[in-house]
Amino acid sequence: MSTTMHRIEIPTIMEVDSNILKNAGAYIKRAGINRVVVLFGEGIRELFGQIILDSINSTASLTLLETYDYDDIKIESLMPMAFSISSNTEAVIGVGGGKVLDAAKYIAFLKNLPFISIPTSTSNDGFSSSGCSLIINGRRTSVHAVMPFGIIVDIAVIKNAPVKFIYSGLGDIVSKITAVFDWYYEEGNRAARVNDFAAMLAKKSVNSIVRMPYTQITEEFFLKEMVDSLTMSGIAMQIADNSAPASGSEHLISHALDKILEKPQLHGIQVGIATYLMSLVQQHRYKRIEKFLSDTGFFDYVQTLQLRAEDFERAIELAPEIKPNRYTYLHTEKNRAMAKELLRSDNILNKILK
Amino acid sequence: MSTTMHRIEIPTIMEVDSNILKNAGAYIKRAGINRVVVLFGEGIRELFGQIILDSINSTASLTLLETYDYDDIKIESLMPMAFSISSNTEAVIGVGGGKVLDAAKYIAFLKNLPFISIPTSTSNDGFSSSGCSLIINGRRTSVHAVMPFGIIVDIAVIKNAPVKFIYSGLGDIVSKITAVFDWYYEEGNRAARVNDFAAMLAKKSVNSIVRMPYTQITEEFFLKEMVDSLTMSGIAMQIADNSAPASGSEHLISHALDKILEKPQLHGIQVGIATYLMSLVQQHRYKRIEKFLSDTGFFDYVQTLQLRAEDFERAIELAPEIKPNRYTYLHTEKNRAMAKELLRSDNILNKILK
Amino acid sequence: MSTTMHRIEIPTIMEVDSNILKNAGAYIKRAGINRVVVLFGEGIRELFGQIILDSINSTASLTLLETYDYDDIKIESLMPMAFSISSNTEAVIGVGGGKVLDAAKYIAFLKNLPFISIPTSTSNDGFSSSGCSLIINGRRTSVHAVMPFGIIVDIAVIKNAPVKFIYSGLGDIVSKITAVFDWYYEEGNRAARVNDFAAMLAKKSVNSIVRMPYTQITEEFFLKEMVDSLTMSGIAMQIADNSAPASGSEHLISHALDKILEKPQLHGIQVGIATYLMSLVQQHRYKRIEKFLSDTGFFDYVQTLQLRAEDFERAIELAPEIKPNRYTYLHTEKNRAMAKELLRSDNILNKILK
Amino acid sequence: MSTTMHRIEIPTIMEVDSNILKNAGAYIKRAGINRVVVLFGEGIRELFGQIILDSINSTASLTLLETYDYDDIKIESLMPMAFSISSNTEAVIGVGGGKVLDAAKYIAFLKNLPFISIPTSTSNDGFSSSGCSLIINGRRTSVHAVMPFGIIVDIAVIKNAPVKFIYSGLGDIVSKITAVFDWYYEEGNRAARVNDFAAMLAKKSVNSIVRMPYTQITEEFFLKEMVDSLTMSGIAMQIADNSAPASGSEHLISHALDKILEKPQLHGIQVGIATYLMSLVQQHRYKRIEKFLSDTGFFDYVQTLQLRAEDFERAIELAPEIKPNRYTYLHTEKNRAMAKELLRSDNILNKILK
């Protein structure tokens, strides 16, 4: 029929469970891949190189072509790197944190190869999305790359990552609430078209975890839910074909902070704080967000960071220019004023920011 | 690249909100459709015909070709019907309950046309799935049809449907817990391959609602979550390309009851009871399921139906033959025995069944 | 990107060569299919049953579930047939002429299974297209089914089919010239949008053969070109998502003759004659068509059939009503008149028709 | 069904005709694009800038964002260029010869935008393929980019391009004969799997033109056939997901010449000569190729270029290393020896090479 369904692409390999790093080779081979190149983030080879390389080498007719320790996300370095890897590579595997995953993802994109994402910490949804943060002309820039062909997350590994990465992941998840609300606001103002399935996924991903009972955030059942939610968030962007379902005004504040601060905090930490702030501006589900960020200990952790309210104030001013083509709550003067006012008047913000 | 991503199809129109029936024409036209045929379920035209037909007729360059009142799901009736509708039809719209949606869905399938699903009650996930229950050679048979091109659910309409439909919808949702567990059990026994994204969607769809706070089940916020969950469940089956993520041993019991009983209950009612039973057999999240079905009033409603334990006993026996190619918990003698034993020993089952 | 490429589907198995029937099982297994059902046309099992069934049975882990001798294209017979085949069938194979291929194709469509097309004669492009000619309510009706998942044509088999099937195939191929010209005419009259790639394929398919040197039409090199051309014609329809690239006014005349005549001739025979006639009306490439149909012996064969000009005259009158939504050359009074006049005045038509 | 059809992507816009440059804007807008950036090759703006920019500017709600004169295919230049174009660009248009098309194609790829290809000369099939020839680390390198979303070829423009471009185009087309034969040879040696539809397209594309009658190669009917053939060749590679259907041993010789020669000739010129040579080695359709290259005047033109047989001899030696993973006729010592011998013994090669 000429009126066709909306067709979307999702990862072929999606494995999220405890102690599964040792199965990586089997998952990859089962998906039809025969020859791989592996990139490890800084210090990652020492921690997980053995188990992953053993898993690949012990898998029948799966060949390890090359391995690298690579963390460089400058595009002028990635380019020659991409065109220097073995010409018969069938997939590029990235193992580690955000930088090596972005590097491997972009190399796979340039070579038109499948990218397999093996995050050792999940501080944001980058491990499951097609987006990529590179340094272009000296500036951090978000560019399109490719959706992971495979996602392999070992919960036991995530559990043992520094707790700040877990807080960052939680901050990134809760942001779906304000992001989706911004998206509907944009549609209401004829500045965007909401993709209902993407919005539904984003909402389900956050609702299932913020409403979840748990004793401590490092219990595997809870971490699995977190990783599943971040994965769905990445896929929601893929379905929408843009970042709107996962990134609204709260992300603009974080992007602005990245420009302002000497040493920005983890993406999800900044986003989490901004999410609480924006939920007050939107007057939407702020109680739920406050409860979640309090109960999980997110706010207590933030308080130790000594962040300055004045930096957030400048970030709020800068926010709209970050994405001039969008129309979030922060794209109106009135809401920016309200946001800045809340930095002073809200008790929690007063407590966690200097 | 030769190793391609997993490509899936999702509805182009997906609108779930209150008082949106009046926008149906606009949604359909916006999706590029110009000429439609509408099928109403029994008695539905009186209730919603006016508002829907007005919406279509008042939409510029959207033409209403024909309307029918049609509830017949016998394939020998559907066939000539399908080939008698106007040859320049661009989409088939079904409005009402399960039967008319199945009829319209199958007509659309035979004519290779988009199907637009407008349920007036959501007692199961049929409104959002590609499956179809027809009468073939005198027997209810599940056949493949086509994924809805559009899904339009007016929450205000769902709210006013008889409460039994809501209970049935809730019963169908909670069943994802036992269904997904059966699916992993099958994979563990090498009888199936789990599609991880489909399983993730099914789990998120049920988790977001069973963990949700609400004052009464007829409040719109709660009903929207229920409809979203049923929609995701339908899409999860589409992604898995089979019904496993949404239908396990608990569904087999319900299918068996359909054969046994003179007057079977609503699909979701039977499924909900069987889900509680199977969660005890699986020893998996039965407390959560018990709490949800108790708090929502599902069990109290079931008690009024005077269902007989002995019918469930026979259904448990019949279950494996319903889908001989699958391998759920009920496909082993030991578990069937345990299930039958629980019919006698479990307090809740004793209370709600005769 | 939101502006997506035009995505089309083509057969996964496409094998056209001499003496390859014996490889059928290997081709099918290589495409990932494990369990098949085979339908043979009338009298086909005697001729080719052994070699095909041996090929399947001798292929490791490829299972033959059921075989049928089946030629019934009445939809009321196909329906129960479709739902009675083994529930674990993975593909439906049709072996023989037009009827069994249409039957197997429709059964595959109803069961959502891959269809594998093994024509033993190629009198038209049905073996490679998604269309299907069934008897519905007693009348031959063209309905949508499914594109073949596999096409296996043994040239040695085609070579030994009665020569009338070859003439019919040639008549169907040459018709792409007038069909595509009608399509552009329709676009010029704002009654259609030409798909340029589909038109290009249709033109290349006919041009490569009408310009080809050969000594006799039964030589394998020539027959392979013919089968390739018919295959491309079927795929061109798939790409256009309608039959326009392969079927114009000349096909309408043939469809009309099917209604008029007690015993219609082979589709491609009627189409070939009508193509020559319409090329004169269109004043487009009629010399090339005349040369091809003369040199191949098509006209000489037709002369032996004793067809009556008056039947063609009535068919010309009936033509436009066959597809009222189209706008071919025959949809204007003036051209119908010219066509009828040519039946009397053209020397070749006078010679081959009574 | 789990066994899915082979899905391929083809251009949405495909327009090949005379005097259609003035419709470019309309074609682009009709495909749903609103904002474009245009790159002109060196000297192209003077020739065709006016007509194309007028066409865009005069199209309602189609906005011209930026124009560039750009011919630089060094990747280190393309990178910053790509990330400097307007962020709300919806499509990148390239107008001119091979270099600007490659540049625009790669920029579109990096930005995940549709690429629209408007060649002003068609000396090879680059204007219709996803491949791209860039300078990486100082060396010409073939890299993957993106299939054109649109192809617009004005035959009147092609007709007036220097005749050497037409000869080059013809040389590139005729090479499909040896390329496809190499591909089947590779399959026979278990070094590749032939995609039958891609092979069929490649063969039809060349057969339809080499068998075509014409009075002179600059007549539009002939040029349209040539451009259609080159377009189909580009799409055949897309379908095969590699260059095999369009590029075999004859292309390896040309790539080798590019390394050896100070000033290589046009790609298609070198390829055409090598195709004649390899057809003799393959002993496959060499008479047809000789006739085509003689009748069109290709050989006479080549004779004026004073190419040296010894360069071809060295190229033959180098050929296999160009693509070590392939297995063409030139990948065996015996055939390389035969090829070199033919450089001395064949009359035509003796005549056209020094």
Side-chain angles (χ1 to χ4, degrees):
Chain A
M1 66 189 120
S2 52
T3 324
T4 52
M5 302 284 288
H6 179 182
R7 210 178 263 111
I8 61 173
E9 291 186 331
I10 60 171
T12 295
I13 304 170
M14 206 181 306
E15 303 285 348
V16 180
D17 214 333
S18 288
N19 308 307
I20 59 173
L21 270 196
K22 62 182 184 309
N23 310 331
Y27 299 146
I28 291 162
K29 179 64 193 177
R30 186 168 65 179
I33 289 168
N34 306 302
R35 290 182 297 274
V36 298
V37 162
V38 181
L39 276 68
F40 290 105
E42 214 185 319
I44 298 297
R45 189 192 291 261
E46 291 57 41
L47 295 169
F48 308 108
Q50 181 89 51
I51 186 167
I52 286 176
L53 298 183
D54 286 354
S55 166
I56 292 172
N57 290 323
S58 64
T59 303
S61 60
L62 178 61
T63 307
L64 177 65
L65 298 174
E66 297 153 8
T67 72
Y68 300 89
D69 296 277
Y70 198 86
D71 250 344
D72 187 344
I73 56 172
K74 288 192 297 303
I75 201 159
E76 54 273 30
S77 324
L78 279 169
M79 264 295 164
M81 170 70 177
F83 294 109
S84 70
I85 68 168
S86 173
S87 70
N88 60 345
T89 305
E90 286 181 7
V92 179
I93 303 174
V95 186
K99 280 185 177 175
V100 67
L101 294 188
D102 279 347
K105 192 189 290 180
Y106 206 70
I107 288 166
F109 166 66
L110 289 175
K111 297 287 287 182
N112 192 33
L113 291 170
F115 163 59
I116 294 168
S117 176
I118 307 185
T120 54
S121 63
T122 53
S123 59
N124 60 59
D125 55 20
F127 71 88
S128 65
S129 67
S130 62
C132 201
S133 174
L134 305 181
I135 294 170
I136 300 176
N137 309 330
R139 298 189 35 249
R140 269 261 181 182
T141 314
S142 296
V143 302
H144 163 89
V146 65
M147 186 69 183
F149 169 79
I151 297 172
I152 301 172
V153 188
D154 189 326
I155 296 299
V157 170
I158 302 305
K159 179 192 179 75
N160 294 318
V163 71
K164 68 179 176 179
F165 291 118
I166 299 177
Y167 285 128
S168 180
L170 297 176
D172 199 31
I173 280 176
V174 79
S175 73
K176 309 316 156 205
I177 294 175
T178 44
V180 171
F181 203 71
D182 269 321
W183 202 13
Y184 280 111
Y185 175 78
E186 249 180 325
E187 184 173 68
N189 289 281
R190 295 195 155 45
R193 262 294 300 281
V194 169
N195 175 306
D196 299 282
F197 183 52
M200 196 184 285
L201 279 189
K203 278 187 284 184
K204 290 283 180 190
S205 71
V206 57
N207 288 344
S208 64
I209 188 163
V210 296
R211 294 171 180 164
M212 172 179 191
Y214 61 92
T215 49
Q216 53 178 15
I217 62 173
T218 53
E219 69 192 10
E220 300 201 346
F221 182 56
F222 182 80
L223 289 174
K224 170 128 176 38
E225 194 85 38
M226 178 184 86
V227 171
D228 284 351
S229 291
L230 289 168
T231 304
M232 276 177 66
S233 166
I235 290 170
M237 289 189 273
Q238 168 77 352
I239 291 170
D241 199 17
N242 64 55
S243 64
S247 156
S249 49
E250 76 294 326
H251 269 66
L252 296 182
I253 291 175
S254 175
H255 292 320
L257 287 170
D258 291 340
K259 293 183 187 300
I260 293 166
L261 300 174
E262 261 310 297
K263 288 198 175 313
Q265 296 296 322
L266 283 171
H267 171 79
I269 298 297
Q270 296 179 160
V271 164
I273 301 164
T275 297
Y276 170 66
L277 170 58
M278 289 312 301
S279 70
L280 292 168
V281 174
Q282 295 176 343
Q283 282 296 296
H284 173 65
R285 303 189 68 187
Y286 50 88
K287 288 213 186 70
R288 164 67 66 182
I289 292 167
E290 173 187 333
K291 185 177 191 323
F292 183 70
L293 295 179
S294 304
D295 296 353
T296 52
F298 178 91
F299 283 145
D300 296 337
Y301 170 73
V302 169
Q303 203 169 347
T304 67
L305 300 175
Q306 299 282 310
L307 303 178
R308 308 182 326 159
E310 63 196 273
D311 293 328
F312 277 80
E313 189 153 347
R314 287 176 55 210
I316 289 164
E317 266 319 311
L318 236 76
E321 304 155 32
I322 303 279
K323 292 192 179 175
N325 299 329
R326 292 205 58 183
Y327 192 82
T328 69
Y329 267 76
L330 283 187
H331 283 74
T332 69
E333 174 54 44
K334 186 177 125 301
N335 291 326
R336 286 196 298 278
M338 190 192 306
K340 286 184 286 185
E341 168 52 27
L342 282 158
L343 286 173
R344 299 185 207 84
S345 58
D346 181 71
N347 294 338
I348 290 176
L349 293 170
N350 269 314
K351 184 148 151 288
I352 63 175
L353 302 180
K354 273 195 305 186
Chain B
M1 65 189 123
S2 51
T3 323
T4 53
M5 302 283 289
H6 179 182
R7 213 178 259 109
I8 61 174
E9 292 186 328
I10 61 171
T12 296
I13 304 170
M14 205 180 309
E15 302 285 348
V16 180
D17 215 333
S18 288
N19 307 306
I20 59 173
L21 269 195
K22 61 181 185 311
N23 309 331
Y27 299 145
I28 292 162
K29 178 65 196 177
R30 187 169 66 179
I33 289 168
N34 306 302
R35 290 181 297 275
V36 298
V37 163
V38 181
L39 275 67
F40 291 105
E42 211 185 325
I44 298 297
R45 190 192 290 261
E46 292 58 44
L47 297 168
F48 310 107
Q50 181 87 49
I51 186 167
I52 285 175
L53 299 182
D54 286 355
S55 166
I56 293 172
N57 290 321
S58 65
T59 304
S61 59
L62 178 62
T63 307
L64 177 66
L65 296 174
E66 298 153 8
T67 72
Y68 302 88
D69 296 277
Y70 198 86
D71 250 343
D72 186 345
I73 55 171
K74 287 191 298 301
I75 202 159
E76 54 271 30
S77 323
L78 279 169
M79 265 294 162
M81 171 70 178
F83 294 108
S84 69
I85 68 169
S86 174
S87 70
N88 60 345
T89 304
E90 286 181 7
V92 179
I93 302 173
V95 186
K99 281 185 178 175
V100 67
L101 294 188
D102 279 346
K105 191 189 291 181
Y106 206 70
I107 288 167
F109 165 66
L110 289 175
K111 298 286 288 180
N112 192 33
L113 291 171
F115 163 60
I116 295 168
S117 175
I118 307 185
T120 54
S121 62
T122 52
S123 58
N124 61 58
D125 55 19
F127 70 88
S128 65
S129 67
S130 63
C132 201
S133 175
L134 305 182
I135 294 171
I136 300 175
N137 310 330
R139 300 191 34 252
R140 270 264 181 178
T141 314
S142 296
V143 302
H144 163 89
V146 65
M147 186 69 182
F149 169 79
I151 297 173
I152 301 172
V153 188
D154 189 326
I155 296 300
V157 170
I158 301 306
K159 179 192 179 74
N160 295 316
V163 72
K164 68 179 176 181
F165 291 118
I166 299 178
Y167 284 128
S168 179
L170 297 176
D172 199 32
I173 281 178
V174 80
S175 72
K176 309 315 157 205
I177 295 175
T178 44
V180 171
F181 203 73
D182 270 320
W183 203 13
Y184 279 111
Y185 176 77
E186 248 178 324
E187 185 173 64
N189 289 280
R190 294 193 152 48
R193 262 295 300 283
V194 169
N195 174 305
D196 300 283
F197 182 53
M200 196 184 286
L201 279 189
K203 278 187 283 183
K204 289 284 181 190
S205 72
V206 57
N207 288 344
S208 65
I209 188 163
V210 296
R211 296 170 180 166
M212 170 181 191
Y214 60 92
T215 50
Q216 53 178 17
I217 62 173
T218 53
E219 70 192 11
E220 301 201 346
F221 182 56
F222 182 80
L223 289 174
K224 171 127 176 39
E225 194 84 37
M226 177 184 87
V227 171
D228 283 351
S229 292
L230 289 168
T231 304
M232 276 177 64
S233 165
I235 289 169
M237 289 189 274
Q238 168 75 354
I239 291 169
D241 199 15
N242 63 55
S243 64
S247 157
S249 49
E250 75 296 325
H251 269 67
L252 297 181
I253 291 176
S254 175
H255 292 320
L257 286 170
D258 292 342
K259 292 184 188 299
I260 293 166
L261 299 174
E262 261 310 296
K263 289 195 175 316
Q265 296 296 322
L266 282 172
H267 172 79
I269 298 298
Q270 296 179 162
V271 165
I273 302 164
T275 297
Y276 170 66
L277 170 59
M278 289 312 301
S279 70
L280 292 167
V281 175
Q282 296 175 342
Q283 281 297 295
H284 173 64
R285 301 189 70 187
Y286 50 88
K287 288 212 186 71
R288 164 66 67 183
I289 291 166
E290 173 187 334
K291 185 177 190 322
F292 183 69
L293 296 179
S294 304
D295 296 354
T296 53
F298 178 90
F299 282 144
D300 296 339
Y301 170 74
V302 168
Q303 203 169 348
T304 68
L305 300 175
Q306 298 282 305
L307 303 179
R308 309 185 321 165
E310 62 195 89
D311 293 329
F312 277 80
E313 189 152 346
R314 286 175 54 209
I316 289 164
E317 266 318 311
L318 236 76
E321 304 155 33
I322 304 280
K323 294 192 178 176
N325 299 330
R326 291 204 58 183
Y327 192 80
T328 70
Y329 267 76
L330 284 187
H331 283 75
T332 69
E333 176 52 45
K334 187 178 122 301
N335 291 325
R336 286 197 297 279
M338 190 192 305
K340 285 184 286 185
E341 167 52 28
L342 281 159
L343 286 172
R344 299 184 207 85
S345 58
D346 181 71
N347 295 336
I348 289 176
L349 292 170
N350 268 313
K351 185 147 152 288
I352 63 174
L353 302 179
K354 272 196 307 186
Chain C
M1 64 191 119
S2 52
T3 325
T4 52
M5 303 283 289
H6 178 181
R7 211 177 264 109
I8 61 173
E9 291 184 331
I10 60 170
T12 295
I13 304 169
M14 206 180 307
E15 303 285 348
V16 180
D17 214 331
S18 287
N19 308 306
I20 59 173
L21 269 196
K22 61 181 185 311
N23 309 331
Y27 299 146
I28 292 163
K29 179 63 195 177
R30 188 168 65 179
I33 289 168
N34 307 302
R35 290 182 297 274
V36 298
V37 163
V38 180
L39 275 67
F40 291 105
E42 213 184 321
I44 298 297
R45 189 192 291 259
E46 290 59 39
L47 296 168
F48 309 108
Q50 181 89 51
I51 186 168
I52 286 177
L53 299 183
D54 286 354
S55 166
I56 292 172
N57 291 322
S58 64
T59 303
S61 61
L62 178 61
T63 307
L64 177 65
L65 297 174
E66 298 153 8
T67 72
Y68 301 89
D69 296 278
Y70 199 85
D71 251 344
D72 186 345
I73 55 171
K74 288 191 299 301
I75 201 159
E76 54 271 30
S77 323
L78 279 169
M79 265 297 162
M81 170 71 177
F83 294 109
S84 70
I85 68 169
S86 173
S87 71
N88 60 345
T89 304
E90 286 181 6
V92 179
I93 303 173
V95 185
K99 280 186 177 174
V100 68
L101 294 188
D102 280 346
K105 191 189 292 180
Y106 206 70
I107 288 166
F109 166 66
L110 290 175
K111 297 286 288 183
N112 192 34
L113 292 171
F115 163 59
I116 294 168
S117 175
I118 306 185
T120 54
S121 63
T122 53
S123 58
N124 61 57
D125 55 20
F127 70 89
S128 65
S129 67
S130 63
C132 202
S133 174
L134 305 181
I135 294 170
I136 299 175
N137 309 330
R139 299 190 34 249
R140 270 259 180 183
T141 314
S142 296
V143 302
H144 163 89
V146 66
M147 186 69 182
F149 169 79
I151 297 173
I152 301 171
V153 188
D154 189 327
I155 296 299
V157 170
I158 301 306
K159 179 192 179 76
N160 295 316
V163 72
K164 68 180 176 180
F165 291 118
I166 299 178
Y167 285 128
S168 180
L170 296 176
D172 199 31
I173 281 176
V174 80
S175 72
K176 309 315 157 208
I177 295 175
T178 45
V180 171
F181 203 72
D182 270 321
W183 202 13
Y184 279 111
Y185 176 78
E186 248 178 326
E187 185 173 65
N189 289 282
R190 297 194 152 46
R193 263 291 302 280
V194 169
N195 175 304
D196 299 282
F197 183 53
M200 195 183 285
L201 280 189
K203 278 187 284 183
K204 290 283 180 190
S205 71
V206 57
N207 288 343
S208 65
I209 188 163
V210 297
R211 295 170 180 165
M212 171 180 191
Y214 60 93
T215 50
Q216 52 178 15
I217 62 173
T218 53
E219 68 191 13
E220 301 201 345
F221 182 56
F222 182 80
L223 289 174
K224 170 127 175 41
E225 193 85 37
M226 177 184 88
V227 171
D228 283 352
S229 292
L230 289 168
T231 305
M232 276 177 62
S233 165
I235 290 169
M237 289 188 273
Q238 169 76 352
I239 291 169
D241 199 16
N242 63 56
S243 64
S247 155
S249 49
E250 76 295 325
H251 268 67
L252 297 181
I253 291 175
S254 175
H255 292 320
L257 286 170
D258 292 340
K259 292 183 188 300
I260 293 166
L261 300 174
E262 262 309 299
K263 289 198 175 311
Q265 296 296 323
L266 282 172
H267 171 80
I269 298 297
Q270 296 179 161
V271 164
I273 302 165
T275 297
Y276 170 66
L277 169 60
M278 289 313 302
S279 70
L280 292 168
V281 174
Q282 295 176 343
Q283 282 296 296
H284 173 65
R285 303 188 70 185
Y286 50 88
K287 288 214 186 70
R288 164 67 67 185
I289 291 167
E290 175 187 332
K291 185 176 190 323
F292 183 69
L293 296 179
S294 304
D295 296 353
T296 52
F298 179 90
F299 283 145
D300 297 338
Y301 170 74
V302 169
Q303 203 169 347
T304 68
L305 300 175
Q306 299 283 306
L307 303 178
R308 307 180 328 158
E310 62 196 275
D311 293 329
F312 276 81
E313 189 153 347
R314 286 175 55 208
I316 290 164
E317 266 318 310
L318 235 76
E321 305 154 32
I322 304 279
K323 293 192 178 175
N325 299 330
R326 292 204 58 183
Y327 192 80
T328 70
Y329 267 75
L330 283 188
H331 282 75
T332 68
E333 174 54 43
K334 185 177 125 303
N335 291 325
R336 288 197 297 279
M338 189 192 304
K340 287 184 287 186
E341 167 52 27
L342 281 158
L343 286 173
R344 299 185 207 83
S345 58
D346 181 71
N347 295 336
I348 289 175
L349 292 170
N350 269 313
K351 185 146 152 287
I352 62 174
L353 303 178
K354 272 195 308 183
Chain D
M1 66 190 123
S2 51
T3 322
T4 53
M5 303 284 288
H6 180 181
R7 212 178 260 109
I8 61 174
E9 291 185 330
I10 59 171
T12 295
I13 304 170
M14 205 180 307
E15 303 283 348
V16 180
D17 214 333
S18 288
N19 307 306
I20 59 172
L21 269 196
K22 61 183 186 310
N23 310 330
Y27 299 146
I28 292 162
K29 178 66 195 175
R30 188 169 64 179
I33 289 168
N34 306 302
R35 290 181 297 275
V36 298
V37 162
V38 181
L39 276 67
F40 291 105
E42 213 185 323
I44 298 297
R45 190 193 289 262
E46 291 58 43
L47 296 169
F48 308 108
Q50 181 89 50
I51 186 166
I52 286 175
L53 299 182
D54 286 355
S55 167
I56 292 172
N57 290 322
S58 65
T59 303
S61 60
L62 178 63
T63 307
L64 177 66
L65 297 174
E66 299 153 8
T67 72
Y68 301 89
D69 296 277
Y70 198 85
D71 250 343
D72 186 346
I73 56 172
K74 287 191 298 301
I75 201 158
E76 54 272 30
S77 322
L78 279 169
M79 263 295 163
M81 171 70 178
F83 294 108
S84 70
I85 68 170
S86 174
S87 70
N88 60 345
T89 304
E90 286 181 7
V92 179
I93 303 173
V95 185
K99 281 185 178 174
V100 68
L101 295 188
D102 279 346
K105 191 190 292 181
Y106 206 70
I107 289 167
F109 166 65
L110 289 175
K111 297 287 288 181
N112 192 33
L113 292 171
F115 163 60
I116 295 168
S117 175
I118 307 185
T120 54
S121 63
T122 52
S123 58
N124 61 58
D125 55 20
F127 71 88
S128 65
S129 67
S130 63
C132 201
S133 175
L134 306 182
I135 295 171
I136 300 175
N137 310 330
R139 301 192 31 251
R140 269 262 182 182
T141 315
S142 296
V143 302
H144 163 89
V146 65
M147 186 70 182
F149 169 79
I151 298 172
I152 301 172
V153 187
D154 190 326
I155 296 300
V157 170
I158 301 306
K159 179 192 178 77
N160 295 317
V163 72
K164 68 178 176 181
F165 291 118
I166 299 178
Y167 285 127
S168 180
L170 296 176
D172 199 32
I173 281 177
V174 80
S175 72
K176 309 315 156 207
I177 294 176
T178 45
V180 171
F181 203 72
D182 270 319
W183 203 13
Y184 279 111
Y185 175 78
E186 249 179 323
E187 185 172 66
N189 289 281
R190 295 195 153 45
R193 262 294 300 282
V194 169
N195 175 304
D196 300 283
F197 182 53
M200 196 184 284
L201 280 188
K203 279 187 283 183
K204 289 284 180 190
S205 71
V206 57
N207 288 343
S208 64
I209 188 163
V210 296
R211 296 170 180 165
M212 171 181 192
Y214 61 91
T215 50
Q216 53 178 17
I217 62 172
T218 54
E219 69 191 13
E220 300 201 347
F221 182 56
F222 181 81
L223 289 174
K224 170 127 176 40
E225 194 84 36
M226 177 184 86
V227 172
D228 283 352
S229 292
L230 288 168
T231 304
M232 275 177 64
S233 166
I235 290 170
M237 288 188 274
Q238 168 76 355
I239 291 169
D241 199 15
N242 63 56
S243 63
S247 156
S249 49
E250 75 296 325
H251 269 67
L252 297 181
I253 291 176
S254 175
H255 293 319
L257 286 170
D258 291 341
K259 292 182 187 301
I260 294 165
L261 299 174
E262 262 308 298
K263 286 196 176 314
Q265 296 296 322
L266 282 171
H267 172 79
I269 299 297
Q270 296 178 161
V271 165
I273 302 164
T275 297
Y276 170 65
L277 170 59
M278 289 313 301
S279 70
L280 292 168
V281 174
Q282 295 175 344
Q283 281 298 295
H284 172 64
R285 300 188 72 186
Y286 51 87
K287 289 212 186 70
R288 163 67 67 184
I289 292 166
E290 173 188 334
K291 184 178 191 320
F292 183 69
L293 295 180
S294 303
D295 296 354
T296 52
F298 178 90
F299 283 143
D300 296 339
Y301 170 74
V302 170
Q303 206 170 346
T304 67
L305 301 175
Q306 298 283 305
L307 303 178
R308 308 183 324 162
E310 62 196 271
D311 293 328
F312 277 80
E313 190 153 345
R314 286 175 54 210
I316 289 164
E317 267 318 311
L318 237 77
E321 304 155 33
I322 304 279
K323 293 193 178 175
N325 299 330
R326 291 204 59 183
Y327 193 81
T328 70
Y329 267 75
L330 283 188
H331 283 75
T332 69
E333 175 52 45
K334 186 177 123 303
N335 291 326
R336 286 198 298 279
M338 190 191 305
K340 285 183 286 187
E341 167 53 27
L342 282 158
L343 286 173
R344 301 186 204 82
S345 58
D346 181 72
N347 294 337
I348 288 176
L349 292 170
N350 269 315
K351 185 147 153 287
I352 63 175
L353 303 178
K354 274 196 305 185

